[in-house]
Amino acid sequence: MQSDGGDRWVTPQQTFVDLPFRDTGLSALYPRVALRWRDGSGFAYDREPYPLAGYYSEVEGVEEFLEIVGAQVGIVITQANVYENVKFSWSWRVNNRETRQGVNVDWGIEFLEKIIESGSPGLLRSLWHAVHSSPHSKAIATYQANRTARTYKIDSQLAQVLKERAWVLDRHGALRTPREMTNDDLPDDWAKPTDGSFVMKLDFGSNANVLRAREHIHTQQLRRLGLDDEDLAAVMEFKAAGGSAEDIFRMARERSADSRFPVGASDDPDRRAGTAARDALNAPHHATEVRERSVVVGQKQATDESKAYLRAHYTNESGDMFCQACQKPLPFRTKDGWYFEAVRFVAGRRQIHTANAIALCHLCAALYKHARATDDEQLSVTLMDRSQGTVVVPVVLDGKRVRIVFTEKHAIDIQVAMRVAGDDRKL
Ligand SMILES: [Zn+2]
């Protein structure tokens, strides 16, 4: 089949097989190149070799037949001249009398460089197939000047290239050297190498073993950080997708048990509620100032006491403090500790209570103060509704639904404070 759409009768040796017969990828190696008559009279014929014409697909056994009669049905390892091997020393020839009884064996693949450069998955799989199905002997080049001379054995030209170049496709589509690969990394339609395979002489998996060992140590470290299997799987997935070590450890830290949003469970919720109620009654009164009509925006900064209170409640055991709205660790530290804003949760109360504040990162604080659609009344009602444990209050900020999370202790304190101050909900 030619580039002008026509057919040309050729010998089997001038033919190669690719889809629809067999996915050899050879079309990538032998693109159709139209040759022209020297006299300029136009298209003559395509450059050899030719893909087998599609209508042969109706002929049973045509591939096997063509293979026998010399068509190219895949990539083949061929004999090479050991003199061209960079590891060959000319002194081996010079110092010995070379005879016809000598040995000159080396191995190569035609267009090997082109095949690797192509990056074509089909072609590389054909290359893999050729290498994988060949014996160890293809890794060795042998030279012996004559029957009695010393025998020199060096890496074959083919082995040298295949060891150094990244030509093995992994299941993520990346090209790697054989030594960086393992069976598990191979795509599903690539055969797993056997012990006797030439692939094993290309240091297949040797570096991967080292990498695996290192990974194992990392895994142990991550486990010690408190990651469970599910977390580890997520970290590994991220890593496989090309995540950097830095990101992985940041991610691991975020995922580790030590770095989770504080629970702040109360040992004795009833007792805590009693104490909180007394505190709420004793809380100082607002200096009554005339305020604008109840608007959602314009939350005032809470007091220093609130800040200390929040700092204590939203810092976990490993010292990270979290935003109640986005539940992310706070990004900045100042000399006073983590930078956060203590924002009054609901405004318009006559009594200031320490617990009536939430710890927010600067971004969430800005949204809560200036772009909140959920009003105080709704917030109070939702908060009072929630029972024991961590309390979540949904709030719409800048058109998005956000969950404000309260530790159990904070929730009890703020609920009690509101109940006690109950009737003063409106200023
Ligand atoms: Zn936040």
Side-chain angles (χ1 to χ4, degrees), residues 2 27 54 64 66 119 131 162 208 239 330 358-359 361 363 374 383:
Q2 306 206 84
S27 301
E64 289 74 15
L66 284 171
V131 173
L162 295 180
K239 190 177 171 188
L330 291 163
I358 49 178
C361 72
L363 278 173
T374 316
L383 181 73

Side-chain angles (χ1 to χ4, degrees), residues 206-260:
S206 68
N207 221 18
N209 291 337
V210 175
L211 293 175
R212 279 301 119 91
R214 206 179 295 153
E215 204 159 90
H216 181 69
I217 293 167
H218 278 163
T219 306
Q220 299 302 101
Q221 284 173 345
L222 293 173
R223 269 192 204 288
R224 237 171 279 132
L225 265 175
L227 267 70
D228 57 22
D229 285 341
E230 204 179 307
D231 292 336
L232 277 174
V235 168
M236 290 310 162
E237 200 175 297
F238 178 69
K239 190 177 171 188
S244 74
E246 212 172 280
D247 287 342
I248 286 161
F249 273 93
R250 183 187 48 72
M251 187 176 159
R253 214 175 66 108
E254 277 175 15
R255 283 195 161 253
S256 81
D258 285 356
S259 181
R260 293 223 169 99

Side-chain angles (χ1 to χ4, degrees), residues 82 96 221 235 284 300 364 402 426:
V82 75
N96 290 287
Q221 284 173 345
V235 168
K300 286 206 155 188
C364 294
V402 173
K426 291 257 161 60

Side-chain angles (χ1 to χ4, degrees), residues 22-26 67 73-77 109 115 120-135 138 158 162 167-169 186-187 189-194 197-199 202:
R22 194 184 289 188
D23 187 9
T24 60
L26 288 172
E67 186 169 7
V73 297
I75 289 170
V76 280
I77 296 176
I109 287 176
I115 293 168
S120 148
L123 208 47
L124 292 171
R125 192 187 47 222
S126 284
L127 177 59
W128 173 260
H129 178 75
V131 173
H132 152 267
S133 59
S134 298
K138 303 291 188 220
L158 183 57
L162 295 180
W167 63 277
V168 187
L169 208 59
L186 287 170
D189 56 349
W190 287 42
K192 309 273 183 261
T194 51
S197 165
F198 176 21
V199 170
L202 300 174

Side-chain angles (χ1 to χ4, degrees), residues 79-137:
Q79 285 256 8
N81 190 336
V82 75
Y83 300 159
E84 288 162 16
N85 193 313
V86 293
K87 295 194 174 182
F88 179 80
S89 166
W90 285 87
S91 66
W92 302 343
R93 277 191 92 177
V94 176
N95 301 339
N96 290 287
R97 192 174 53 87
E98 200 173 81
T99 70
R100 301 175 107 217
Q101 275 74 44
V103 179
N104 177 337
V105 174
D106 202 348
W107 303 102
I109 287 176
E110 200 184 11
F111 305 126
L112 180 57
E113 200 58 36
K114 244 174 118 177
I115 293 168
I116 296 173
E117 286 295 318
S118 79
S120 148
L123 208 47
L124 292 171
R125 192 187 47 222
S126 284
L127 177 59
W128 173 260
H129 178 75
V131 173
H132 152 267
S133 59
S134 298
H136 286 179
S137 59

Side-chain angles (χ1 to χ4, degrees), residues 168-397:
V168 187
L169 208 59
D170 74 11
R171 54 177 62 250
H172 304 290
L175 290 173
R176 303 209 217 172
T177 61
R179 73 168 70 87
E180 295 169 331
M181 292 293 293
T182 64
N183 280 350
D184 293 340
D185 299 325
L186 287 170
D188 292 333
D189 56 349
W190 287 42
K192 309 273 183 261
T194 51
D195 284 346
S197 165
F198 176 21
V199 170
M200 298 320 251
K201 288 285 160 188
L202 300 174
D203 306 330
F204 183 80
S206 68
N207 221 18
N209 291 337
V210 175
L211 293 175
R212 279 301 119 91
R214 206 179 295 153
E215 204 159 90
H216 181 69
I217 293 167
H218 278 163
T219 306
Q220 299 302 101
Q221 284 173 345
L222 293 173
R223 269 192 204 288
R224 237 171 279 132
L225 265 175
L227 267 70
D228 57 22
D229 285 341
E230 204 179 307
D231 292 336
L232 277 174
V235 168
M236 290 310 162
E237 200 175 297
F238 178 69
K239 190 177 171 188
S244 74
E246 212 172 280
D247 287 342
I248 286 161
F249 273 93
R250 183 187 48 72
M251 187 176 159
R253 214 175 66 108
E254 277 175 15
R255 283 195 161 253
S256 81
D258 285 356
S259 181
R260 293 223 169 99
F261 193 87
V263 179
S266 177
D267 297 333
D268 186 347
D270 291 339
R271 189 164 153 248
R272 185 169 189 97
T275 315
R278 272 197 306 281
D279 288 354
L281 285 170
N282 296 332
H285 280 247
H286 250 304
T288 22
E289 58 192 53
V290 181
R291 295 268 222 88
E292 296 296 312
R293 214 194 330 234
S294 171
V295 282
V296 174
V297 295
Q299 289 287 328
K300 286 206 155 188
Q301 280 289 325
T303 60
D304 286 348
E305 276 151 76
S306 293
K307 275 208 116 158
Y309 172 90
L310 292 171
R311 200 183 291 284
H313 282 82
Y314 292 93
T315 302
N316 68 10
E317 283 166 10
S318 49
D320 291 320
M321 190 176 166
F322 290 77
C323 168
Q324 282 180 257
C326 62
Q327 287 99 52
K328 285 183 186 147
L330 291 163
F332 312 121
R333 253 190 117 94
T334 66
K335 61 176 171 37
D336 302 325
W338 291 109
Y339 176 76
F340 73 102
E341 289 189 39
V343 180
R344 191 72 56 78
F345 177 57
V346 285
R349 326 212 121 253
R350 189 168 296 165
Q351 281 182 310
I352 303 166
H353 190 269
T354 315
N356 179 22
I358 49 178
L360 300 179
C361 72
H362 61 297
L363 278 173
C364 294
L367 292 174
Y368 193 83
K369 287 189 286 186
H370 305 297
R372 174 159 62 99
T374 316
D375 67 21
D376 284 355
E377 189 64 32
Q378 283 171 273
L379 290 179
S380 310
V381 169
T382 328
L383 181 73
M384 300 309 277
D385 269 1
R386 307 290 148 138
S387 52
Q388 288 193 344
T390 303
V391 169
V392 176
V393 176
V395 53
V396 176
L397 300 182

